Coordinates of all heavy atoms in Angstrom, one line a residue:
I14 N 99.7 -89.4 -259.4 CA 98.6 -88.7 -260.1 C 97.3 -89.5 -260.0 O 96.3 -89.0 -259.7 CB 99.0 -88.4 -261.5 CG1 100.1 -87.3 -261.5 CG2 97.8 -87.9 -262.4 CD1 100.6 -86.9 -262.9
P15 N 97.3 -90.8 -260.3 CA 96.1 -91.6 -260.2 C 95.5 -91.5 -258.8 O 94.3 -91.4 -258.6 CB 96.5 -93.0 -260.6 CG 97.7 -92.9 -261.4 CD 98.4 -91.7 -260.9
A16 N 96.4 -91.7 -257.8 CA 95.9 -91.7 -256.4 C 95.3 -90.3 -256.0 O 94.3 -90.2 -255.4 CB 97.1 -92.0 -255.4
G17 N 96.0 -89.2 -256.5 CA 95.5 -87.9 -256.3 C 94.1 -87.6 -256.9 O 93.2 -87.0 -256.3
V18 N 94.0 -88.1 -258.1 CA 92.7 -87.9 -258.8 C 91.6 -88.7 -258.1 O 90.5 -88.1 -257.9 CB 92.8 -88.4 -260.3 CG1 91.4 -88.5 -261.0 CG2 93.7 -87.6 -261.1
I19 N 91.8 -89.9 -257.7 CA 90.8 -90.7 -257.0 C 90.4 -90.1 -255.7 O 89.3 -90.0 -255.3 CB 91.3 -92.2 -256.8 CG1 91.5 -92.9 -258.2 CG2 90.4 -93.0 -255.9 CD1 92.2 -94.2 -258.1
L20 N 91.5 -89.7 -254.9 CA 91.2 -89.1 -253.6 C 90.3 -87.8 -253.7 O 89.3 -87.6 -253.0 CB 92.5 -88.8 -252.9 CG 92.4 -87.9 -251.6 CD1 91.5 -88.7 -250.6 CD2 93.7 -87.6 -251.0
L21 N 90.8 -86.9 -254.6 CA 90.1 -85.6 -254.7 C 88.7 -85.8 -255.2 O 87.7 -85.0 -254.8 CB 90.9 -84.6 -255.5 CG 91.8 -83.7 -254.7 CD1 92.8 -84.5 -253.9 CD2 92.5 -82.7 -255.5
R22 N 88.5 -86.7 -256.1 CA 87.1 -86.9 -256.6 C 86.2 -87.5 -255.5 O 85.0 -87.2 -255.4 CB 87.2 -87.9 -257.8 CG 87.6 -87.1 -259.1 CD 87.5 -88.1 -260.3 NE 87.9 -87.3 -261.5 CZ 87.9 -87.9 -262.7 NH1 87.7 -89.2 -262.9 NH2 88.3 -87.2 -263.8
R23 N 86.8 -88.4 -254.8 CA 86.0 -89.0 -253.7 C 85.7 -88.0 -252.6 O 84.5 -88.0 -252.1 CB 86.7 -90.2 -253.1 CG 86.6 -91.5 -253.9 CD 87.4 -92.7 -253.3 NE 87.2 -93.8 -254.2 CZ 87.9 -95.0 -254.0 NH1 88.8 -95.0 -253.1 NH2 87.7 -96.0 -254.8
L24 N 86.6 -87.2 -252.3 CA 86.4 -86.2 -251.3 C 85.4 -85.1 -251.7 O 84.5 -84.7 -251.0 CB 87.7 -85.5 -250.9 CG 87.7 -84.3 -249.9 CD1 87.2 -84.9 -248.5 CD2 89.1 -83.7 -249.7
S25 N 85.5 -84.7 -253.0 CA 84.5 -83.7 -253.5 C 83.1 -84.3 -253.6 O 82.1 -83.6 -253.3 CB 85.0 -83.3 -254.9 OG 85.0 -84.4 -255.8
R26 N 83.0 -85.6 -253.9 CA 81.6 -86.2 -253.9 C 81.1 -86.3 -252.5 O 79.9 -86.2 -252.3 CB 81.7 -87.6 -254.6 CG 81.9 -87.5 -256.1 CD 82.2 -88.9 -256.7 NE 82.5 -88.8 -258.1 CZ 83.0 -89.9 -258.8 NH1 83.1 -91.1 -258.2 NH2 83.3 -89.7 -260.1
L27 N 82.0 -86.7 -251.6 CA 81.6 -86.8 -250.2 C 81.0 -85.5 -249.6 O 80.1 -85.5 -248.9 CB 82.8 -87.3 -249.4 CG 82.5 -87.6 -247.9 CD1 81.6 -88.8 -247.7 CD2 83.8 -87.8 -247.2
E28 N 81.6 -84.4 -250.1 CA 81.2 -83.1 -249.6 C 80.4 -82.3 -250.6 O 80.2 -81.1 -250.4 CB 82.4 -82.3 -249.1 CG 83.2 -83.1 -248.0 CD 84.0 -82.2 -247.2 OE1 83.9 -80.9 -247.3 OE2 84.8 -82.7 -246.4
S29 N 79.9 -83.0 -251.6 CA 79.0 -82.3 -252.7 C 79.7 -81.1 -253.3 O 79.0 -80.0 -253.4 CB 77.7 -82.0 -252.0 OG 77.1 -83.1 -251.5
V30 N 80.9 -81.2 -253.7 CA 81.7 -80.1 -254.3 C 81.5 -80.2 -255.8 O 81.6 -81.3 -256.4 CB 83.2 -80.1 -253.9 CG1 84.0 -79.1 -254.6 CG2 83.3 -79.9 -252.4
H31 N 81.4 -79.1 -256.5 CA 81.2 -79.1 -257.9 C 82.5 -79.6 -258.6 O 83.6 -79.5 -258.1 CB 80.9 -77.7 -258.4 CG 80.4 -77.6 -259.8 ND1 81.2 -77.6 -260.9 CD2 79.1 -77.5 -260.3 CE1 80.5 -77.5 -262.0 NE2 79.2 -77.5 -261.6
T32 N 82.2 -80.3 -259.7 CA 83.3 -80.9 -260.5 C 84.4 -79.9 -260.9 O 85.6 -80.2 -260.9 CB 82.8 -81.7 -261.7 OG1 81.8 -82.6 -261.3 CG2 83.9 -82.4 -262.4
D34 N 85.3 -77.1 -259.4 CA 86.1 -76.8 -258.2 C 87.1 -77.9 -257.9 O 88.2 -77.7 -257.5 CB 85.2 -76.5 -257.0 CG 84.4 -75.3 -257.1 OD1 84.7 -74.5 -258.0 OD2 83.4 -75.1 -256.4
C35 N 86.6 -79.2 -258.1 CA 87.5 -80.3 -257.8 C 88.7 -80.3 -258.9 O 89.8 -80.6 -258.5 CB 86.7 -81.6 -257.9 SG 87.7 -83.1 -257.8
S36 N 88.4 -79.9 -260.1 CA 89.4 -79.9 -261.1 C 90.4 -78.8 -260.8 O 91.6 -79.0 -261.0 CB 88.8 -79.6 -262.5 OG 87.8 -80.6 -262.9
A38 N 91.2 -77.8 -257.8 CA 92.0 -78.4 -256.7 C 93.0 -79.4 -257.2 O 94.2 -79.5 -256.7 CB 91.1 -79.0 -255.7
L39 N 92.6 -80.2 -258.2 CA 93.6 -81.2 -258.8 C 94.8 -80.5 -259.4 O 95.9 -80.9 -259.2 CB 92.9 -82.0 -259.8 CG 92.2 -83.3 -259.3 CD1 91.3 -83.9 -260.5 CD2 93.2 -84.3 -258.8
L42 N 97.0 -79.3 -256.7 CA 97.8 -80.3 -256.0 C 98.9 -80.8 -256.9 O 100.1 -81.0 -256.4 CB 96.8 -81.5 -255.8 CG 97.4 -82.8 -255.2 CD1 97.9 -82.5 -253.7 CD2 96.5 -83.9 -255.2
F43 N 98.7 -81.0 -258.2 CA 99.8 -81.5 -259.0 C 100.8 -80.4 -259.5 O 101.9 -80.7 -260.0 CB 99.2 -82.1 -260.3 CG 98.3 -83.3 -260.0 CD1 97.2 -83.6 -260.7 CD2 98.7 -84.2 -259.0 CE1 96.4 -84.7 -260.4 CE2 97.9 -85.3 -258.7 CZ 96.8 -85.5 -259.4
G64 N 102.3 -90.6 -252.9 CA 101.3 -91.3 -253.7 C 100.6 -92.4 -252.9 O 99.4 -92.6 -253.0
F65 N 101.5 -93.2 -252.2 CA 100.9 -94.3 -251.4 C 100.0 -93.7 -250.3 O 99.0 -94.2 -249.9 CB 102.0 -95.1 -250.7 CG 102.6 -96.1 -251.7 CD1 103.9 -96.2 -252.0 CD2 101.8 -97.1 -252.2 CE1 104.5 -97.1 -252.8 CE2 102.3 -98.1 -253.1 CZ 103.6 -98.1 -253.4
V66 N 100.4 -92.5 -249.7 CA 99.6 -91.8 -248.7 C 98.3 -91.4 -249.3 O 97.2 -91.6 -248.7 CB 100.4 -90.6 -248.1 CG1 99.5 -89.8 -247.2 CG2 101.6 -91.1 -247.3
L67 N 98.3 -90.8 -250.5 CA 97.1 -90.4 -251.1 C 96.2 -91.6 -251.4 O 94.9 -91.5 -251.2 CB 97.4 -89.7 -252.4 CG 98.0 -88.3 -252.3 CD1 98.4 -87.8 -253.7 CD2 97.1 -87.3 -251.7
A68 N 96.8 -92.7 -251.8 CA 96.0 -94.0 -252.0 C 95.4 -94.5 -250.7 O 94.3 -95.0 -250.7 CB 96.9 -95.0 -252.7
S69 N 96.1 -94.4 -249.6 CA 95.6 -94.8 -248.3 C 94.4 -93.9 -247.9 O 93.4 -94.4 -247.5 CB 96.7 -94.7 -247.3 OG 96.2 -95.1 -246.0
M70 N 94.6 -92.6 -248.1 CA 93.5 -91.7 -247.8 C 92.3 -91.9 -248.6 O 91.1 -91.9 -248.2 CB 94.0 -90.2 -248.0 CG 95.0 -89.8 -247.0 SD 95.7 -88.1 -247.4 CE 94.2 -87.1 -247.1
A71 N 92.5 -92.2 -249.9 CA 91.4 -92.5 -250.8 C 90.7 -93.7 -250.4 O 89.4 -93.8 -250.5 CB 91.9 -92.6 -252.3
S72 N 91.4 -94.7 -250.0 CA 90.8 -96.0 -249.5 C 90.0 -95.8 -248.3 O 88.9 -96.3 -248.2 CB 91.9 -97.1 -249.3 OG 92.6 -97.3 -250.5
L73 N 90.5 -95.0 -247.3 CA 89.7 -94.7 -246.1 C 88.5 -93.9 -246.4 O 87.4 -94.1 -245.8 CB 90.6 -94.0 -245.1 CG 91.8 -94.8 -244.6 CD1 92.6 -93.9 -243.6 CD2 91.4 -96.1 -244.0
M74 N 88.6 -93.0 -247.4 CA 87.4 -92.2 -247.8 C 86.3 -93.1 -248.4 O 85.1 -92.9 -248.2 CB 87.8 -91.2 -248.8 CG 88.7 -90.0 -248.3 SD 87.8 -88.8 -247.3 CE 89.1 -87.7 -246.9
A75 N 86.7 -94.2 -249.1 CA 85.8 -95.1 -249.7 C 85.3 -96.2 -248.7 O 84.5 -97.1 -249.1 CB 86.4 -95.7 -250.9
G76 N 85.9 -96.2 -247.5 CA 85.5 -97.2 -246.5 C 86.3 -98.5 -246.6 O 86.0 -99.5 -246.0
K77 N 87.3 -98.5 -247.5 CA 88.1 -99.7 -247.7 C 89.3 -99.6 -246.7 O 90.4 -99.3 -247.1 CB 88.6 -99.8 -249.1 CG 87.4 -99.9 -250.1 CD 87.9 -100.0 -251.6 CE 86.7 -100.0 -252.5 NZ 87.1 -100.0 -253.9
L78 N 89.1 -100.0 -245.5 CA 90.0 -99.8 -244.4 C 91.3 -100.7 -244.6 O 92.4 -100.2 -244.3 CB 89.4 -100.1 -243.0 CG 88.1 -99.3 -242.8 CD1 87.5 -99.7 -241.4 CD2 88.3 -97.8 -242.8
L79 N 91.1 -101.9 -245.0 CA 92.2 -102.8 -245.1 C 93.2 -102.4 -246.2 O 94.4 -102.4 -246.0 CB 91.7 -104.2 -245.3 CG 90.8 -104.8 -244.2 CD1 90.4 -106.2 -244.5 CD2 91.4 -104.6 -242.8
W80 N 92.6 -101.9 -247.3 CA 93.5 -101.4 -248.4 C 94.2 -100.1 -247.9 O 95.3 -99.9 -248.3 CB 92.7 -101.1 -249.6 CG 92.5 -102.3 -250.5 CD1 91.3 -103.0 -250.7 CD2 93.5 -103.0 -251.2 NE1 91.5 -104.1 -251.6 CE2 92.9 -104.1 -251.9 CE3 94.9 -102.9 -251.4 CZ2 93.5 -105.0 -252.7 CZ3 95.6 -103.8 -252.2 CH2 94.9 -104.8 -252.8
G81 N 93.5 -99.3 -247.1 CA 94.2 -98.2 -246.6 C 95.4 -98.5 -245.7 O 96.4 -97.8 -245.8
C82 N 95.3 -99.6 -244.9 CA 96.4 -100.1 -244.1 C 97.6 -100.5 -245.0 O 98.7 -100.2 -244.8 CB 96.0 -101.2 -243.2 SG 94.7 -100.7 -242.0
F84 N 98.3 -99.7 -248.1 CA 98.9 -98.6 -248.8 C 99.8 -97.7 -247.9 O 100.9 -97.3 -248.3 CB 97.9 -97.7 -249.5 CG 97.3 -98.3 -250.8 CD1 95.9 -98.3 -250.9 CD2 98.1 -98.8 -251.8 CE1 95.4 -98.9 -252.1 CE2 97.6 -99.3 -252.9 CZ 96.2 -99.4 -253.1
Y105 N 92.6 -92.5 -236.2 CA 91.4 -92.7 -237.0 C 90.9 -94.1 -237.1 O 89.7 -94.4 -236.8 CB 91.6 -92.1 -238.5 CG 90.4 -92.3 -239.4 CD1 89.3 -91.5 -239.3 CD2 90.4 -93.4 -240.3 CE1 88.2 -91.7 -240.1 CE2 89.3 -93.6 -241.1 CZ 88.2 -92.7 -241.1 OH 87.2 -92.9 -241.9
K256 N 85.8 -88.9 -238.3 CA 85.0 -88.6 -239.5 C 86.0 -88.5 -240.7 O 87.1 -88.0 -240.6 CB 84.3 -87.3 -239.4 CG 83.3 -87.3 -238.2 CD 82.6 -85.9 -238.1 CE 81.7 -85.8 -236.9 NZ 81.1 -84.5 -236.8
K257 N 85.5 -89.0 -241.9 CA 86.4 -89.0 -243.1 C 86.8 -87.5 -243.4 O 87.9 -87.3 -243.9 CB 85.6 -89.6 -244.2 CG 85.2 -91.1 -244.0 CD 84.4 -91.6 -245.2 CE 83.9 -93.0 -244.9 NZ 83.1 -93.5 -246.0
Q258 N 85.8 -86.6 -243.2 CA 86.1 -85.2 -243.6 C 87.2 -84.6 -242.8 O 87.9 -83.6 -243.2 CB 84.8 -84.4 -243.5 CG 83.7 -84.8 -244.4 CD 82.8 -85.8 -243.8 OE1 83.2 -86.6 -242.9 NE2 81.5 -85.8 -244.2
L259 N 87.5 -85.1 -241.6 CA 88.5 -84.5 -240.7 C 89.9 -85.1 -241.0 O 90.9 -84.6 -240.5 CB 88.1 -84.8 -239.3 CG 86.8 -84.2 -238.8 CD1 86.6 -84.6 -237.3 CD2 86.7 -82.7 -239.0
L260 N 90.0 -86.2 -241.8 CA 91.3 -86.8 -242.0 C 92.3 -85.9 -242.6 O 93.5 -85.9 -242.1 CB 91.1 -88.1 -242.9 CG 92.2 -89.1 -242.9 CD1 92.6 -89.5 -241.5 CD2 91.9 -90.3 -243.8
P261 N 92.1 -85.2 -243.7 CA 93.1 -84.3 -244.2 C 93.6 -83.3 -243.2 O 94.9 -83.0 -243.1 CB 92.5 -83.6 -245.4 CG 91.4 -84.6 -245.8 CD 90.9 -85.1 -244.6
V292 N 95.1 -80.7 -250.1 CA 93.9 -81.6 -250.4 C 92.6 -80.9 -249.9 O 91.5 -81.1 -250.5 CB 94.0 -82.9 -249.7 CG1 92.7 -83.7 -249.8 CG2 95.1 -83.8 -250.4
L293 N 92.8 -80.0 -248.9 CA 91.6 -79.2 -248.4 C 90.9 -78.4 -249.5 O 89.7 -78.1 -249.4 CB 92.0 -78.3 -247.3 CG 92.5 -79.0 -246.0 CD1 93.0 -77.9 -245.0 CD2 91.5 -79.8 -245.4
L294 N 91.6 -78.1 -250.6 CA 91.0 -77.3 -251.6 C 89.9 -78.0 -252.3 O 89.0 -77.4 -252.9 CB 92.1 -76.9 -252.7 CG 93.2 -76.0 -252.2 CD1 94.2 -75.9 -253.3 CD2 92.7 -74.6 -251.9
A295 N 89.8 -79.3 -252.2 CA 88.8 -80.1 -252.8 C 87.6 -80.4 -251.9 O 86.6 -81.0 -252.3 CB 89.3 -81.5 -253.3
A296 N 87.7 -79.9 -250.6 CA 86.7 -80.1 -249.7 C 85.6 -79.0 -249.8 O 85.8 -78.1 -250.6 CB 87.2 -80.1 -248.3
D297 N 84.6 -79.1 -249.0 CA 83.5 -78.1 -249.0 C 84.1 -76.7 -248.6 O 84.6 -76.6 -247.5 CB 82.4 -78.5 -248.1 CG 81.2 -77.6 -248.1 OD1 81.0 -76.9 -249.2 OD2 80.5 -77.5 -247.1

Side-chain angles (χ1 to χ4, degrees):
I14 292 179
V18 171
I19 293 172
L20 170 63
L21 265 61
R22 284 185 175 177
R23 283 180 177 168
L24 180 60
S25 62
R26 290 172 184 171
L27 182 66
E28 302 202 9
S29 302
V30 175
H31 195 275
T32 305
D34 293 343
C35 177
S36 301
L39 271 172
L42 178 67
F43 297 143
F65 280 124
V66 172
L67 291 174
S69 179
M70 294 173 64
S72 299
L73 297 181
M74 292 283 181
K77 300 177 181 178
L78 306 179
L79 302 184
W80 276 111
C82 296
F84 285 129
Y105 176 79
K256 301 177 181 178
K257 299 175 183 178
Q258 296 91 332
L259 300 181
L260 193 56
V292 170
L293 294 175
L294 295 173
D297 184 26

